[in-house]
Amino acid sequence: MDEILQQIRTDLRRSMNGIASKSMREKGLHYKLNFGVDVPRLRELSKRYPIDAQLAELLWRQETRELKILATMLYPVHEFDMDKADEWVKEIPNHEIREQVSMNLFQKLDFADKLVQKWTDSKDEEVRTSGYWLFARLLIVKSGLVNKTNQNEIMEKMISDLSAGSYFLRLSAQRALTFLGRTAESFSKKILDGIQDLQTSGDAAKKEIFDSLSFEFTDFPD
């Protein structure tokens, strides 16, 4: 295992992009170590390494951006259970990793619907943010698991969280609402009805959310 980890580190150093790493830091993405390797390159590199739970766990525990992302690509989906998902969701350090683990791993689980239902009901805002993001991912890939969730209940929670203090909680709720509204006119109408209070809000961020969703779902004359 140490030999594989050493090879991964060597490959990352060869692919290092200092400019990208600096840009990420300036945008608030702080890691103990960040090689600045873009995700498509990481996906290519991941093909060189074994799909192995022990390796993925080892990579996930490292405070290195690329190793965490590779962990989400190398964990065998069939070995990733509910308890492990509940453990990892609480260890997500930032929104970039949330996006990657949702896309590379969580959305592929055959119990992803149960995770959405559980996480969107959490009192922990970080967990709820991940629940909304996973819900959005299932909508994007048109997963049939979406139909096993209580979409109306989740929609109401997301509308409520559009007024939350957390930027990424609002972002995840808005993104998921956008994709949910695209699935059926009934949802888009309920979303528009539910966000009317944001239109008259003195908060510029809430007004922007209203304008964005309203533009998304309002039919304009030809």
Side-chain angles (χ1 to χ4, degrees):
M1 196 64 70
D2 289 342
E3 198 172 306
I4 297 174
L5 185 57
Q6 184 58 43
Q7 182 58 53
I8 293 174
R9 291 185 184 279
T10 298
D11 288 339
L12 291 178
R13 289 191 188 95
R14 289 173 178 169
S15 302
M16 186 172 182
N17 185 330
I19 295 175
S21 177
K22 179 182 178 182
S23 176
M24 290 180 200
R25 287 196 302 272
E26 291 173 346
K27 293 176 181 176
L29 282 175
H30 298 293
Y31 297 90
K32 186 174 182 179
L33 190 58
N34 182 351
F35 290 93
V37 182
D38 63 43
V39 173
R41 176 59 177 160
L42 289 175
R43 202 168 297 283
E44 288 179 16
L45 291 175
S46 71
K47 297 174 184 177
R48 301 180 181 182
Y49 321 126
I51 303 296
D52 181 85
Q54 185 180 354
L55 174 60
E57 282 284 3
L58 178 62
L59 297 178
W60 181 255
R61 300 301 163 198
Q62 309 303 308
E63 295 182 45
T64 302
R65 171 181 174 269
E66 288 76 10
L67 297 184
K68 283 191 177 296
I69 293 175
L70 284 171
T72 72
M73 299 175 177
L74 295 176
Y75 207 113
V77 175
H78 67 282
E79 294 182 33
F80 200 87
D81 60 21
M82 180 82 77
D83 289 339
K84 183 59 62 177
D86 284 335
E87 178 184 324
W88 276 35
V89 76
K90 294 176 181 176
E91 298 171 345
I92 294 172
N94 58 49
H95 200 64
E96 180 185 28
I97 300 301
R98 177 179 291 114
E99 291 178 356
Q100 290 301 313
V101 72
S102 294
M103 178 171 59
N104 300 329
L105 187 55
F106 291 163
Q107 74 175 32
K108 298 177 181 179
L109 301 170
D110 58 12
F111 52 88
D113 57 309
K114 294 181 176 63
L115 295 179
V116 167
Q117 203 67 53
K118 183 177 183 180
W119 293 349
T120 56
D121 197 38
S122 174
K123 293 182 180 180
D124 185 322
E125 288 193 352
E126 291 294 318
V127 173
R128 209 155 68 244
T129 300
S130 296
Y132 294 158
W133 202 260
L134 177 56
F135 186 51
R137 286 301 316 172
L138 294 181
L139 289 164
I140 290 170
V141 299
K142 296 180 171 58
S143 170
L145 293 177
V146 167
N147 297 322
K148 294 185 177 183
T149 65
N150 189 329
Q151 296 175 66
N152 281 293
E153 179 184 279
I154 296 171
M155 178 188 66
E156 291 175 3
K157 294 173 186 174
M158 292 191 296
I159 289 174
S160 176
D161 276 333
L162 292 176
S163 298
S166 166
Y167 168 75
F168 287 112
L169 180 56
R170 296 196 309 269
L171 176 67
S172 298
Q174 180 181 346
R175 183 170 175 79
L177 284 168
T178 298
F179 287 104
L180 179 62
R182 290 176 183 174
T183 64
E185 186 177 0
S186 59
F187 281 127
S188 65
K189 287 183 175 179
K190 288 178 181 177
I191 292 168
L192 285 175
D193 287 343
I195 65 172
Q196 289 304 308
D197 288 348
L198 301 182
Q199 184 177 18
T200 55
S201 172
D203 186 318
K206 294 179 183 178
K207 182 66 165 58
E208 184 176 347
I209 291 172
F210 172 82
D211 289 341
S212 177
L213 290 173
S214 180
F215 183 83
E216 180 75 35
F217 302 134
T218 299
D219 293 325
F220 296 97
D222 296 332

